């Protein structure tokens, strides 16, 4: 079985020159978030403080804002399909309960799994920070040199949607579910359809045991997540556990499995009180956007200004 990071980072071409470009990019200096999750939790709480504070339903682990982003392949100006997408990201900004880190999650297959087909996609937490803007600073445009092709340009990440999300226990398939409702664009367009972003959807969300090295004992690519002893105890020898402890998402390197569950979690009330909480959060998000009070969203859009039309228009070419 391929690891999450291998699948998420692959472009599918297999050409030697693309491998060289990937190596060249990795050799460039990159801004890394040095803060540990516990070091910037207070900053995260302050950044998310614009949302109303209210008691979450008992089965709700977390509620907040979700952003969908994608990065085009090298030398690509006009993105027309998944072949032109290098990586697809889901950025989570927790609001309730306060204190969680913002997380930048890479999704394998470069799209969301289809809930109707119960598709299973791997992913991993690439980075965490106190605010969404900090996470997008590393997704800007860049230029670098290659030995065979000369100067190459990597375009900035582009926004593909935003809305509200909840992580809740239970659901028709049990375990922990991540459910979202899209707010911008108001209706999914071509770009969202290609990336599997629907008006609403839910996924069974599980974290991989870092001791599960896979076939032949081969470890996963990249650094092992620095879990605390308490976090490690949750796995109890199991290969995967539901993300009912949201702190697992606050650790960079956490490998994830998303299994499509429902494409209408609010309409069906799949998650009980958590579905109602998601609907209320989405309505509040739309209200604040209408009044220009979603400061984090405004900051994120400023960081991703070249792709603003992709979100607002909905039908913009992907």
């Amino acid at each position: 079985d391929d690891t999450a990071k291998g699948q998420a980072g692959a472009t599918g071409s297999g050409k030697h020159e693309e491998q060289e470009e990937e190596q060249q990019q990795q050799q460039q200096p990159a801004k890394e978030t040095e803060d540990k999750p516990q070091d910037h939790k207070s900053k995260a709480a302050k950044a998310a403080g614009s949302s109303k504070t209210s008691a979450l339903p008992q089965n709700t682990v977390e509620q907040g804002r979700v952003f969908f982003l994608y990065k085009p392949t090298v030398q690509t100006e006009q993105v027309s399909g998944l072949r032109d997408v290098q990586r697809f990201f889901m950025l989570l900004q927790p609001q309730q309960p306060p204190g969680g880190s913002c997380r930048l999650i890479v999704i394998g297959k470069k799209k969301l799994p289809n809930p109707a087909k119960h598709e299973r996609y791997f992913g991993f937490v690439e980075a965490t920070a106190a605010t969404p803007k900090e996470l997008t600073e590393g997704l800007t445009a860049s230029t670098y040199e290659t030995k065979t092709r000369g100067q190459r340009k990597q375009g900035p990440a582009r926004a593909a949607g935003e809305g509200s999300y909840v992580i809740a226990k239970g659901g028709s398939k049990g375990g922990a579910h991540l459910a979202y409702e899209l707010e911008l664009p108001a209706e999914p367009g071509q770009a969202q359809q290609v990336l599997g972003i629907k008006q609403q959807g839910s996924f069974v969300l599980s974290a991989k045991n870092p001791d599960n090295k896979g076939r032949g004992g081969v470890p996963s690519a990249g650094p092992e997540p620095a879990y605390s002893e308490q976090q490690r105890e949750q796995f109890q020898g199991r290969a995967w556990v539901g993300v009912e402890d949201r702190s697992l998402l606050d650790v960079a390197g956490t490998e994830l499995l998303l299994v499509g569950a429902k494409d209408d979690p609010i309409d069906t009330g799949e998650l009980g009180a958590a579905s109602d909480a998601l609907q209320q959060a989405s309505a509040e998000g739309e209200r604040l956007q209408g009044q220009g009070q979603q400061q984090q969203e405004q900051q994120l859009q400023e960081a991703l200004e070249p792709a603003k039309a992709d979100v607002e228009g909905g039908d913009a070419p992907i």
Side-chain angles (χ1 to χ4, degrees), residues 131-145:
T131 66
K133 188 175 182 180
E134 290 178 65
L135 290 175
T136 59
E137 287 176 350
L139 301 178
T140 55
S142 61
T143 303
Y144 61 95
E145 296 286 339

Side-chain angles (χ1 to χ4, degrees), residues 105-168:
I105 299 173
V106 176
I107 306 295
K109 303 289 187 180
K110 301 181 290 188
K111 60 182 295 189
L112 291 177
N114 188 332
K117 297 180 180 180
H118 304 302
E119 292 178 329
R120 304 160 61 91
Y121 290 172
F122 293 103
F124 67 95
V125 179
E126 181 173 67
T128 65
T131 66
K133 188 175 182 180
E134 290 178 65
L135 290 175
T136 59
E137 287 176 350
L139 301 178
T140 55
S142 61
T143 303
Y144 61 95
E145 296 286 339
T146 66
K147 294 180 180 179
T148 59
R149 302 296 296 273
Q151 189 177 81
R152 308 288 282 172
K153 181 180 179 181
Q154 171 72 66
R158 304 178 182 181
E162 62 184 75
S164 296
Y165 78 92
V166 295
I167 298 176

Side-chain angles (χ1 to χ4, degrees), residues 112-119 170-174 176-181 196-205 258-272 275 278:
L112 291 177
N114 188 332
K117 297 180 180 180
H118 304 302
E119 292 178 329
S172 58
K173 295 184 176 298
H177 282 60
L178 187 153
Y180 73 90
E181 182 169 27
I197 303 171
K198 300 180 180 295
Q199 189 66 53
Q200 54 180 277
S202 69
F203 313 94
V204 179
L205 184 64
L258 292 87
V259 181
K262 292 282 187 180
D263 56 12
D264 53 356
I266 293 179
D267 297 341
T268 60
E270 178 202 22
L271 300 176
S275 293
L278 174 59

Side-chain angles (χ1 to χ4, degrees), residues 7-29:
Q7 292 188 25
T11 61
S13 65
K15 296 181 180 179
H16 176 72
E17 62 183 35
E18 292 190 2
Q19 293 176 347
E20 181 186 2
E21 291 170 354
E22 186 86 10
Q23 293 171 355
Q24 290 287 341
Q25 288 178 279
Q26 292 175 354
Q27 291 172 1
Q28 295 183 91

Side-chain angles (χ1 to χ4, degrees), residues 32-40 43 128 130 134:
E32 296 183 355
T33 302
E34 298 181 355
D35 292 341
K36 295 179 180 180
Q38 60 266 33
D39 294 335
H40 54 61
K43 288 177 63 181
T128 65
E134 290 178 65

Side-chain angles (χ1 to χ4, degrees), residues 183-215:
E183 297 166 14
L184 188 64
E187 294 184 3
Q190 178 186 354
Q192 290 71 40
Q193 291 172 6
V194 171
L195 295 170
I197 303 171
K198 300 180 180 295
Q199 189 66 53
Q200 54 180 277
S202 69
F203 313 94
V204 179
L205 184 64
S206 303
K208 182 182 177 181
N209 186 336
D211 294 330
N212 179 23
K213 303 301 183 182
R215 189 179 304 170

